[in-house]
Amino acid sequence: MQLKFYFLLLLFTTSSFIGFSHDYYFGFAEMSYNETNKTLETTIILAEHDFENILLKAQKINKSLEYLEKDSLTIRIVEQEILKNFSVSNAKDSIPFQFESIGFQVMPNGLIQIYLIAKNIEPFSSLNITFACLMEQFPAQQNKMTFIKKRKKYTAVFLSNRPTAILKID
């Protein structure tokens, strides 16, 4: 009888996970300013399957990112999708910096890391940041950015009802 109970419990528990997507959506970004090169170097981390599903539904790719060659075309497709919902500007003039993707990596833990760089960036005291990646498709999406400058960290949180923030840098 006890074995039957455990089997039913196991069956119920595993079946409750099948067919349901996750109820939480988080994205992260880490950005740093390289004063020597005058570049903003950024890594965006998202759930790979959520990001990939957007590209598949839009027919921008035809198979998993994990199996696509990381050539210039694939990198450009990933870049275009990310930059639809990610932008950074000097809060003083609000002119968006021009980011370009330098690659991406699908991680074994189900995340995708997307690497961006913006060049010829003059020093700034505050940034206007929009980080709305995946929010259109997943209203519960929450994104967080950590900005690092001279070993000091600044953070901002982005929600679907507040996808933009001003980050003041000392």
Side-chain angles (χ1 to χ4, degrees), residues 89-96 128:
S89 63
N90 186 329
K92 183 173 64 174
D93 60 19
S94 297
I95 299 170
N128 188 14

Side-chain angles (χ1 to χ4, degrees), residues 38-42 76 79 83 86-90 94-102 116-121:
K38 293 188 177 183
T39 57
L40 278 175
E41 299 162 357
T42 306
R76 182 80 175 136
E79 173 186 297
L83 295 181
F86 177 79
S87 66
V88 181
S89 63
N90 186 329
S94 297
I95 299 170
F97 299 138
Q98 298 301 307
F99 281 91
E100 63 182 84
S101 177
I102 54 174
L116 304 171
I117 190 165
K119 299 175 182 175
N120 302 317
I121 307 299

Side-chain angles (χ1 to χ4, degrees), residues 48-130:
E48 187 266 340
H49 66 275
D50 292 336
F51 183 71
E52 182 179 272
N53 282 338
I54 292 168
L55 296 175
L56 287 166
K57 284 181 183 176
Q59 297 181 338
K60 294 180 180 179
I61 61 172
N62 59 6
K63 59 183 173 181
S64 174
L65 285 168
E66 185 176 6
Y67 301 112
L68 289 175
E69 194 172 321
K70 292 181 182 74
D71 59 10
S72 59
L73 177 61
T74 307
I75 291 170
R76 182 80 175 136
I77 290 168
V78 169
E79 173 186 297
Q80 288 174 342
E81 189 61 39
I82 284 295
L83 295 181
K84 282 185 194 176
N85 297 294
F86 177 79
S87 66
V88 181
S89 63
N90 186 329
K92 183 173 64 174
D93 60 19
S94 297
I95 299 170
F97 299 138
Q98 298 301 307
F99 281 91
E100 63 182 84
S101 177
I102 54 174
F104 68 90
Q105 185 174 7
V106 176
M107 307 303 289
N109 62 0
L111 300 176
I112 183 171
Q113 294 186 356
I114 302 159
Y115 310 110
L116 304 171
I117 190 165
K119 299 175 182 175
N120 302 317
I121 307 299
E122 294 300 322
F124 47 83
S125 59
S126 60
L127 294 172
N128 188 14
I129 303 165
T130 299

